[in-house]
Amino acid sequence: MASSLGDNFNLLSPQQQELVKVLLDNGQEHLFRDWPAPGVDDNHKKAFFDQLTRLDSSYPGGLESYIKNAKRLLADSKAGRNPFDGFTPSVPTGETLAFGDESYIKFEEAGVLEARKAAFVLVAGGLGERLGYSGIKLALPAESTTGTCFVQQYIESILALQEASSQGESQTQIPLVIMTSDDTHGRTLELLESNSYFGLQPTQVTLLKQEKVACLEDNDARLALEPQNKYKIQTKPHGHGDVHALLFSSGILKVWYEAGLKWVLFFQDTNGLLFKAIPSALGVSAAKQYHVNSLAVPRKAKEAIGGITRLTHSDGRSMVINVEYNQLDPLLRASGYPNGDVNCETGYSPFPGNINQLILELGPYIEELSKTGGAIQEFVNPKYKDASKTSFKSSTRLECMMQDYPKTLALSARVGFTVMETWLAYAPVKNNAEDAAKVPKGNPYHSATSGEMAIYRANSIILKKAGVQVADPVVQVFNGQEVEVWPRITWKPKWGLTFNRIKSKVSGNCSISLRSTLAIKGPNIFIENLSVDGALIIDAVDDAEVNVSGSVQNDGWILETIDYKDASEPEVLRIRGFKFNKIEQLETKYSEPGKFHLKA
């Protein structure tokens, strides 16, 4: 047994010796082949076993399971097996909401009350490199009018929900888990600590660090060593599906359940619109008693976004899951739909677009994870050197996705979706300026430019629906991307958590011109018969009630174009392609409690 290791075997603890036996039984002799005798490189060998132990303990079922899963998936990949063979797609059942109508408002108000029993999980293991941003994505400003970063916006939204759901009773603290990685953990903690957790109690926030997984060098699933270091295994991220195993192994789900919580909401790191959609989606989950509710947006046929689909197998199995767009069309064609993925009478595909935001009912979720340990069905995507599929261009690894959780659920599980209008719910920031400019016309850019402009568009549309005259947008080009430019309107989540709340704070004849900037920072700011043509910033503490009226007219903040290659500008502006020249504004601050009237 110890032959590959020679006398080195005796350097190991009993636990490490067991692990070596498992590895040798699973075709990993190459890991120890060139090891010198004891006394040489012993520290490196020890570090190697520390790494192996970490990789073994952080994967459900250990390295043995990882290798066995890899062999099976690599064999399927080489043989070109389709994971959906035998399945027929159909449109699942779900709820489609129209912002501001009676049904939407009913779900939204119900969802706010349900938030008392909710916990939030933010998946944030990635850096902003793909965006051309050197920091962590959570630290990136969601918009540059106020400079509020993504994590601050999320936390302030959770605090607004926390307050609104308490209805005068003592506030329930809504917990937040952030899944980090080696790349983001330290910087996420530093961002939170240096900003006093943006108003949350530190005890409300838990950081769970995701470990990477071992890379594979060939179809036999042999673990890949670093080219320059035979005492280190190459590792890569396993994907955001790890969040389920981390939550399960941490024990936090049980703590939540015993505290009376009912819902777990999963969301991604750079969607500045998401919390506008959460209250109504949570209301749908409660009304429909969904075990799994996927937030979705309408998708055009063949659009590069996964479709939420019911798959029924000839053997009776059935599941509602996200099917990637490049798999959905051929799957439909193979199942008796000769035209594949086509738009229906609504002008959209009948399969809603998955946006990777999930609401799970906690009890059934814990039951399921007790069976699976949080392991999510994986896939492998090796890049082969040639058509023989015998060797890889570079090492590969197994990956898993958070939204594939429903794949293992029983037929009895209630899995549905909630479709929201895209302008309200979905504007992720993930592409850099250069890549976004190459996106075919009419498709979403998903860049820092489009993400910021989407926030202004959503706020403008919401105020319009609340009765404010908001100027129509113009189309401008920034960093090679054509975007709608609306008035730059922002507000704190506590001011405008729900449509009803916004309508209660706006009255009379109000108007906002296209060149205007309006920032509302404070929960009790009321606008009546106000016209804004320029820049207006109102900042008030929670206990200050401010009534604003009259006519604001000044030179305002001018949008100026900048080039993403212009190194003289900060990268947070370069990746957007514009900045504000703050020529003139009316800015008022109310730092004491009381009632105030601002007559412009």
Side-chain angles (χ1 to χ4, degrees), residues 108-225:
E108 191 171 56
E109 294 302 314
V112 168
L113 299 181
E114 286 295 321
R116 277 180 78 88
K117 298 176 279 188
F120 286 86
V121 179
L122 168 54
V123 177
L127 292 167
E129 290 163 326
R130 183 175 152 193
L131 279 169
Y133 176 61
S134 54
I136 54 171
K137 289 194 280 186
L138 287 181
L140 185 71
E143 39 79 13
S144 41
T145 296
T146 65
T148 303
C149 68
F150 278 105
V151 76
Q152 179 179 357
Q153 192 183 336
Y154 296 150
I155 286 175
E156 288 179 350
S157 300
I158 290 169
L159 285 165
L161 277 168
Q162 184 172 289
E163 190 177 294
S165 67
S166 64
Q167 289 206 311
E169 299 172 41
S170 62
Q171 277 192 37
T172 309
Q173 291 196 344
I174 295 177
L176 171 65
V177 164
I178 303 177
M179 182 173 84
T180 59
S181 65
D182 281 334
D183 293 331
T184 64
H185 188 84
R187 287 193 262 184
T188 303
L189 188 59
E190 187 190 342
L191 178 65
L192 291 168
E193 287 180 345
S194 60
N195 290 283
S196 307
Y197 288 78
F198 297 104
L200 281 176
Q201 297 300 317
T203 49
Q204 280 174 267
V205 184
T206 307
L207 266 53
L208 294 178
K209 185 157 76 78
Q210 168 188 30
E211 295 291 341
K212 291 179 177 168
V213 289
C215 291
L216 308 156
E217 67 177 34
D218 57 25
N219 282 322
D220 295 324
R222 296 194 319 158
L223 304 185
L225 293 165

Side-chain angles (χ1 to χ4, degrees), residues 564-577:
Y564 72 91
K565 295 177 187 152
D566 182 355
S568 69
E569 297 288 355
E571 63 180 8
V572 293
L573 298 178
R574 288 208 303 269
I575 61 175
R576 291 162 207 278

Side-chain angles (χ1 to χ4, degrees), residues 79-114:
R81 286 193 192 100
N82 181 346
F84 296 127
D85 270 353
F87 283 100
T88 304
S90 60
V91 182
T93 54
E95 191 72 34
T96 300
L97 301 183
F99 177 83
D101 73 9
E102 204 177 314
S103 168
Y104 178 91
I105 287 170
K106 186 185 76 194
F107 283 126
E108 191 171 56
E109 294 302 314
V112 168
L113 299 181
E114 286 295 321

Side-chain angles (χ1 to χ4, degrees), residues 29-43:
E29 305 83 359
H30 67 289
L31 295 177
F32 316 107
R33 188 166 295 139
D34 302 325
W35 278 26
V40 180
D41 289 348
D42 284 358
N43 282 347

Side-chain angles (χ1 to χ4, degrees), residues 143-147 452 456 488 490 517-519 537 557 580 582:
E143 39 79 13
S144 41
T145 296
T146 65
E452 175 160 356
Y456 304 140
R488 275 65 68 199
T490 60
T517 302
L518 172 64
I537 319 292
W557 295 6
F580 289 113
K582 299 179 181 180

